Amino acid sequence: MSNRLPESIRNANNCQTELVPGFHYSYGYRPSLAAGIVFSVLFGIAFFGHLLQTVRFRRWTSVLLSIGALTELIGWIGRTWSAECPYNRNAFLMQITTLIIGPVFFTAALYVLLGTFINHLGRQYSLISARMYSIIFLTCDLISLIVQAAGGAMASMASGGDGDTAPGTNIMVGGVIFQLVAMVIFTLLALDFLRKSSKLGMPKEYNKVLVALFVSLAAIFARSIFRAVELMEGWSGYLMLHEVYFIALDGALMVVAVGIFLLFDPAQTIPKTHGPVQKDAGELSEYSTEA
């Protein structure tokens, strides 16, 4: 396949800047350098912020948010690299495999966070136990992660020449849709938790973290719908060929999804030690939080 390419772009690590007649950029356009730098900075801030919280509090929510932010950071560094070297297949592979899976770590943090609420407030706040949240939803996240990463790698390698990107793209779509189904079920359970907490009572300081959970969840959900539609349109589809949609409906939404927890950090708000917690209803409940 590579032998059919012009000499200037035959090397996967090339830095051909000008458009080669008859050979489009892997993206269908030349990525924005400004967008790449801005999002690299934003996700870099999110990564180091949550990494600091990981060191300070050693909580799984912080760990997962920092990994997700790092994954997004690597992806946007890849897009920044592509802005300078648009035919570089290593840069393209770097961004497509990371940006498709980054949100999986954010959803995992949300699953752990809701389990933390339930551990802290009591089993009566949820239809299923906190342990079941970990078993069911983190397993779904792992499956989604593997499927999307495999599909992204296949599509990226195929896009480097005249290969067929459809198999890899279809696998990616399947992974995104699987993630969406899991998120729908999780959302229903989260809404049930919200309904029960309004009746049973919850510490006021937890409200901001719960709001952050739903804001992050909405951002990830909207992004996943966009990516599913974008990929189903194919590599020559309208959404795929117009970077502004990717910037607004992927990059910006993921900044919101991870950044809001820098403002409302559950590791700071929800204690890790054992003891009684005063709820709004004036009742005391025992809690045990290790997330």
Side-chain angles (χ1 to χ4, degrees), residues 243-258:
E243 187 182 21
V244 63
Y245 294 104
F246 186 84
I247 290 172
L249 298 176
D250 191 299
L253 287 178
M254 290 306 92
V255 168
V256 172
V258 67

Side-chain angles (χ1 to χ4, degrees), residues 15-218:
C15 198
Q16 169 69 22
T17 57
E18 299 301 321
L19 183 66
V20 177
F23 292 87
H24 298 293
Y25 298 134
S26 297
Y27 301 84
Y29 56 83
R30 185 167 181 173
S32 167
L33 178 62
I37 293 174
V38 168
F39 282 109
S40 294
V41 170
L42 291 174
F43 284 115
I45 293 172
F47 167 61
F48 285 109
H50 287 298
L51 180 63
L52 176 62
Q53 296 299 74
T54 299
V55 174
R56 290 179 61 194
F57 299 106
R58 299 185 180 183
R59 306 289 284 276
W60 276 109
T61 47
S62 298
V63 171
L64 291 166
L65 289 169
S66 63
I67 293 174
L70 177 60
T71 306
E72 292 281 342
L73 172 60
I74 293 171
W76 280 96
I77 289 175
R79 287 185 72 91
T80 305
W81 185 7
S82 291
E84 292 294 292
C85 306
Y87 284 104
N88 190 302
R89 295 190 290 284
N90 291 333
F92 184 75
L93 176 64
M94 176 178 171
Q95 66 87 34
I96 196 173
T97 54
T98 52
L99 295 183
I100 194 68
I101 67 172
V104 172
F105 296 101
F106 300 151
T107 54
L110 300 186
Y111 301 153
V112 170
L113 178 55
L114 187 56
T116 300
F117 276 120
I118 296 164
N119 265 335
H120 185 79
L121 296 170
R123 177 65 176 79
Q124 67 273 22
Y125 281 75
S126 175
L127 288 173
I128 63 175
S129 67
R131 183 170 179 271
M132 289 305 295
Y133 274 102
S134 298
I135 293 174
I136 296 173
F137 291 106
L138 293 182
T139 299
C140 289
D141 246 23
L142 179 61
I143 294 172
S144 176
L145 174 70
I146 294 172
V147 171
Q148 292 182 59
M154 289 175 60
S156 174
M157 289 185 287
S159 68
D162 56 358
D164 185 7
T165 60
T169 301
N170 291 336
I171 291 174
M172 291 167 70
V173 171
V176 173
I177 292 177
F178 182 81
Q179 182 185 21
L180 274 170
V181 172
M183 288 175 63
V184 168
I185 298 172
F186 174 78
T187 301
L188 294 175
L189 292 170
L191 290 172
D192 178 71
F193 169 82
L194 184 63
R195 178 184 64 84
K196 290 180 178 178
S197 64
S198 66
K199 292 182 179 180
L200 299 173
M202 186 174 66
K204 290 182 179 179
E205 62 268 23
Y206 289 5
N207 289 335
K208 59 185 181 181
V209 178
L210 189 59
V211 168
L213 184 152
F214 279 101
V215 169
S216 182
L217 180 62

